Amino acid sequence: MMDEPWWEGRVASDVHCTLREKELKLPTFRAHSPLLKSRRFFVDILTLLSSHCQLCPAARHLAVYLLDHFMDRYNVSTSKQLYTVAVSCLLLASKFEDREDHVPKLEQINSTRILSSQNFTLTKKELLGTELLLLEAFSWNLCLPTPAHFLDYYLLASVSQKDHHCHTWPTTCPRKTKECLKEYAHYFLEVTLQDHVFYKFQPSVVAAACVGASRICLQLSPYWTRDLQRISSYSLEHLSTCIEILLVPLFR
């Protein structure tokens, strides 16, 4: 793993272009799984486990992506099988995206209240076998861009000295405004995990929409700057549908 995040490095623009190329090759999510009604429950489990193990957002989002697309293509018949698949997705994603010392240990997983409340434990053999099954299902390719892979790059241009504040909060200090906007953007990023509707959009669109929705919440004008359009290659019109879906829960 690199010492510095890719979005802060000299090759950030090249990495971004590569991710944009890769997202065009992602398979279509069909929402065909008979277990789709259980999706939110298992997404919540992955979110809680990843928070418990302090995994990075990219690992969490990759885990949910793997779970969704595996469920979309294969029939998982029992509750324990689905738990095993979900946890294996998290293990694979953490090994691919996070630090080695953050990868969940079997003891950690089995000791969580989530699994112990179901009256079963997972074994190392079960998890390794399922990890292998997942790798084969995804042709051993886990380089799968999610919105979490784009967000921090777009946040670099999220606040400008030229921004107009439509009210006195937050403070007009760009540094504090950027900190506040980052919190909003990561909140919206987690919102995108809760509904498979966001698979209708490219991951980079979702990430950019998280920034746009955050600027709207903070009443920064313009809602989408030239710098954001330059770094993302998206106009506000391109993002408007996704932004509207993100903002719906706030105005119910």
Side-chain angles (χ1 to χ4, degrees):
M1 180 172 287
M2 294 183 295
D3 291 333
E4 66 176 357
W6 70 263
W7 55 88
E8 294 179 359
R10 289 179 295 177
V11 296
S13 179
D14 293 333
V15 174
H16 176 248
C17 288
T18 300
L19 289 171
R20 290 288 288 266
E21 290 172 4
K22 285 184 177 296
E23 73 176 351
L24 296 175
K25 300 174 184 177
L26 293 174
T28 301
F29 183 72
R30 303 168 301 169
H32 283 176
S33 173
L35 296 170
L36 204 58
K37 62 182 183 297
S38 302
R39 177 188 181 276
R40 180 166 289 192
F41 175 71
F42 282 95
V43 168
D44 287 343
I45 286 177
L46 290 180
T47 301
L48 289 169
L49 279 173
S50 64
S51 296
H52 179 70
C53 299
Q54 299 181 316
L55 298 180
C56 66
R60 179 162 57 255
H61 280 254
L62 178 58
V64 172
Y65 178 94
L66 294 174
L67 177 64
D68 279 335
H69 284 264
F70 187 82
M71 287 172 57
D72 205 36
R73 286 187 252 168
Y74 301 95
N75 184 32
V76 185
S77 55
T78 69
S79 177
K80 184 173 182 180
Q81 283 179 335
L82 194 49
Y83 271 99
T84 308
V85 169
V87 172
S88 297
C89 287
L90 188 67
L91 287 171
L92 275 182
S94 64
K95 291 172 183 176
F96 191 74
E97 293 288 353
D98 219 320
R99 289 167 26 190
E100 185 177 352
D101 59 332
H102 280 186
V103 176
K105 304 292 188 293
L106 183 59
E107 297 77 16
Q108 277 182 295
I109 295 168
N110 281 326
S111 65
T112 58
R113 189 178 302 174
I114 303 164
L115 288 187
S116 59
S117 65
Q118 303 299 315
N119 295 319
F120 61 70
T121 57
L122 300 175
T123 67
K124 185 175 182 179
K125 183 178 179 180
E126 286 173 325
L127 291 173
L128 287 174
T130 308
E131 285 183 53
L132 182 59
L133 180 66
L134 286 164
L135 286 169
E136 291 173 347
F138 289 94
S139 302
W140 295 79
N141 174 30
L142 297 186
C143 189
L144 304 164
T146 70
H149 291 92
F150 293 95
L151 182 62
D152 287 303
Y153 182 61
Y154 297 156
L155 282 173
L156 293 176
S158 60
V159 173
S160 167
Q161 293 279 1
K162 298 177 182 178
D163 285 342
H164 174 68
H165 295 250
C166 298
H167 52 52
T168 57
W169 187 92
T171 175
T172 53
C173 169
R175 180 182 60 80
K176 292 185 178 180
T177 301
K178 195 165 189 175
E179 290 174 1
C180 192
L181 191 144
K182 183 178 180 179
E183 289 185 15
Y184 265 96
H186 277 277
Y187 160 76
F188 284 121
L189 184 67
E190 296 311 302
V191 167
T192 67
L193 290 177
Q194 297 300 317
D195 197 327
H196 61 81
V197 69
F198 291 100
Y199 285 122
K200 295 195 306 183
F201 309 100
Q202 298 286 2
S204 58
V205 169
V206 177
C210 288
V211 176
S214 300
R215 287 182 61 86
I216 290 171
C217 287
L218 294 180
Q219 297 186 32
L220 298 179
S221 179
Y223 290 149
W224 197 248
T225 65
R226 289 181 179 178
D227 284 343
L228 280 167
Q229 184 160 334
R230 175 186 54 79
I231 199 172
S232 69
S233 302
Y234 292 127
S235 65
L236 184 60
E237 290 73 24
H238 197 116
L239 305 174
S240 59
T241 301
C242 191
I243 288 175
E244 288 173 9
I245 297 173
L246 283 169
L247 292 175
V248 164
L250 298 182
F251 297 102
R252 281 177 179 165

